[in-house]
Amino acid sequence: MLLVAFNRPELVEKRLSEISGLEIPCLYITVDGSKDGKGKKVTTEINKIIEKYENKIPIRKNIREFNVGLATNVTEGINWVLKDYEDCLIIEDDIAINDFFYYSAVETWVKNRKKFATIGGFGSLGIPRALTKLPMLNMWRTTPFFSAWGWVVSRETWKLYNLEITKDDLENHLPKSRLWNQLSPYQQSKFLKRFNRVEENPLFTWDFQMQFLCFRWDLENLLPIIRVNENEGFNDNRSSNTKSRPPRWIIGKSMHKGIFISKTTPKLVSQLLQNIDSNTWVGLRKPLKGKRLNSKISVFFK
C-alpha cells in the first residue's frame, strides 16, 4: 500500500489509524516537501506521527526535503512500491480506507488483475444515511472511466503509464481505441482538451494520464455499485484539487460493511452506471437545449 501525503498531519494520523487495523505486507509513505520554510514544521510533524506507528505497521517512508508537486510525488511513489511488489493500492491522505474495501478489493483483484487497468473504491453512488448501519450487498462493475480516490494497479499495467502524452499518441494511437470511439464527439472533445493540457505540461496532473492509458490500451476498470470509501479533503484550502465543497453528485454515504457479490453486474445496470460516471466526476455532461412550455414542463432535445 502507498500513502501519498503533503501538508495535512491530522489526515495522515487518521489514515495510519485506519491502516494499522489491516494486515498489509508493507506500507510505503511518500511525503512531499514544503514549498517554503514554514512548511518544514508540518513535514516534521508528519514524520513524528509516522514514527508513532512504526512499531504497529511495517513502514517504509520517503520524506522529501523539497516540493516536487503532486504528479511527481504520486507517480514516483508508485514506481517505488512496484519495484518490490506486483501490485500497489494507492490512497492519498484524504482518502478514508476501511477493511471492507481493502479485503474485498484484494480478493477480487487477485482473480481479475490481468483483465482490468485498476480496481477502485469510489463509485458514484452512495447509500441513504438511514441504511448505513445495515449489512448490505454490493457488486463490482466494469467502467472505462478511472477513479483516483483509492485504487489498485498492477506492475504490468503501470508499465504502460507515462506522464507525457504526445501528439503521436493523440493523432495516431487514440483514434484506434475501441473505448475512445464509444464516446460521443462532445465527450471526446472534452477529453482532448485535458490531454492537450498534459501534452503542454506533463506535470500539470497525473490522473488524466491514467485515463488516457485506459483509452489508449482499451482497458476498463472495476468499481463498486455503491462506493466503499470517501474523500475527506473537500472544502480545504490546503488541498491541491478539492478546495471547494463536495460536488452535489456525491450523494449518500459509503458502505463500510456488507458482502460483495461475485456475479457479473447486469449489463443494463453497468451501462446505466457508466453513463452516470460520464456525467459526474469526469464532468462530461452535455448542456441540454430546450424550449420551455410552461412553469412545470420542459421538452429537451439535442
Side-chain angles (χ1 to χ4, degrees):
M1 184 184 295
L2 172 68
L3 173 60
V4 181
F6 175 36
N7 60 352
R8 295 177 285 188
E10 76 284 1
L11 290 182
V12 172
E13 181 137 35
K14 289 182 72 173
R15 300 295 80 83
L16 289 174
S17 176
E18 294 164 353
I19 294 168
S20 64
L22 306 176
E23 297 178 5
I24 62 172
C26 187
L27 174 64
Y28 291 67
I29 306 176
T30 178
V31 183
D32 205 359
S34 64
K35 295 180 179 179
D36 52 46
K38 296 180 181 179
K40 291 184 178 180
K41 294 181 180 180
V42 177
T43 304
T44 301
E45 184 179 353
I46 290 175
N47 192 37
K48 290 181 179 179
I49 292 171
I50 295 172
E51 289 175 350
K52 291 193 303 182
Y53 285 87
E54 287 181 324
N55 64 338
K56 301 178 182 180
I57 318 169
I59 291 177
R60 295 185 63 184
K61 61 184 178 181
N62 179 24
I63 312 294
R64 297 182 184 274
E65 185 175 353
F66 303 103
N67 185 270
V68 297
L70 181 61
T72 299
N73 198 33
V74 170
T75 55
E76 288 189 355
I78 297 173
N79 289 336
W80 180 32
V81 177
L82 292 180
K83 287 181 180 178
D84 300 328
Y85 291 92
E86 292 288 335
D87 307 278
C88 178
L89 189 156
I90 303 100
I91 58 169
E92 295 178 46
D93 54 17
D94 54 4
I95 305 301
I97 188 167
N98 57 78
D99 57 353
F100 180 57
F101 166 53
Y102 176 72
Y103 293 114
S104 300
V106 168
E107 181 182 1
T108 304
W109 186 246
V110 168
K111 299 176 182 177
N112 296 280
R113 59 194 302 275
K114 294 184 178 181
K115 301 177 184 178
F116 299 96
T118 69
I119 184 172
F122 200 100
S124 55
L125 299 181
I127 55 177
R129 185 181 296 272
L131 301 178
T132 54
K133 293 184 179 181
L134 298 177
M136 300 183 69
L137 302 178
N138 205 349
M139 295 179 72
W140 294 105
R141 62 187 179 87
T142 61
T143 177
F145 300 106
F146 166 67
S147 177
W149 296 345
W151 56 291
V152 184
V153 69
S154 69
R155 181 190 294 168
E156 183 178 359
T157 296
W158 189 248
K159 288 178 181 179
L160 304 175
Y161 180 89
N162 199 323
L163 272 172
E164 296 183 0
I165 298 177
T166 67
K167 286 186 178 180
D168 184 55
D169 289 326
L170 298 177
E171 294 176 1
N172 297 322
H173 295 297
L174 196 57
K176 300 176 183 178
S177 163
R178 172 182 58 84
L179 294 179
W180 176 255
N181 287 307
Q182 290 177 358
L183 301 178
S184 70
Y186 177 80
Q187 292 174 328
Q188 290 183 355
S189 69
K190 290 286 286 187
F191 270 121
L192 281 174
K193 288 179 181 179
R194 296 172 179 182
F195 297 155
N196 283 328
R197 291 189 69 180
V198 172
E199 182 196 357
E200 295 171 359
N201 177 16
L203 297 181
F204 162 67
T205 187
W206 66 269
D207 53 345
F208 290 171
Q209 293 92 318
M210 194 66 206
Q211 183 62 70
F212 177 82
L213 182 155
C214 297
F215 290 147
R216 166 70 175 83
W217 298 100
D218 280 323
L219 292 173
E220 294 191 283
N221 305 275
L222 284 175
L223 290 179
I225 290 179
I226 303 173
R227 69 177 183 271
V228 290
N229 55 19
E230 294 285 4
N231 187 324
E232 299 180 342
F234 286 102
N235 206 20
D236 189 339
N237 288 328
R238 299 169 300 171
S239 173
S240 300
N241 302 314
T242 54
K243 299 181 188 296
S244 60
R245 294 179 180 181
R248 286 179 292 180
W249 53 261
I250 302 181
I251 59 174
K253 305 292 291 183
S254 60
M255 182 189 290
H256 286 182
K257 59 181 179 179
I259 299 173
F260 266 104
I261 301 174
S262 59
K263 295 180 181 179
T264 305
T265 307
K267 187 174 183 180
L268 182 61
V269 174
S270 183
Q271 289 177 341
L272 172 63
L273 291 173
Q274 286 185 29
N275 185 60
I276 293 175
D277 291 344
S278 69
N279 286 282
T280 51
W281 67 74
V282 289
L284 296 178
R285 175 168 294 170
K286 184 173 183 178
L288 295 175
K289 300 178 181 179
K291 181 178 180 180
R292 194 170 185 80
L293 299 180
N294 55 47
S295 61
K296 295 183 179 180
I297 302 175
S298 293
V299 176
F300 295 100
F301 55 89
K302 293 183 179 181

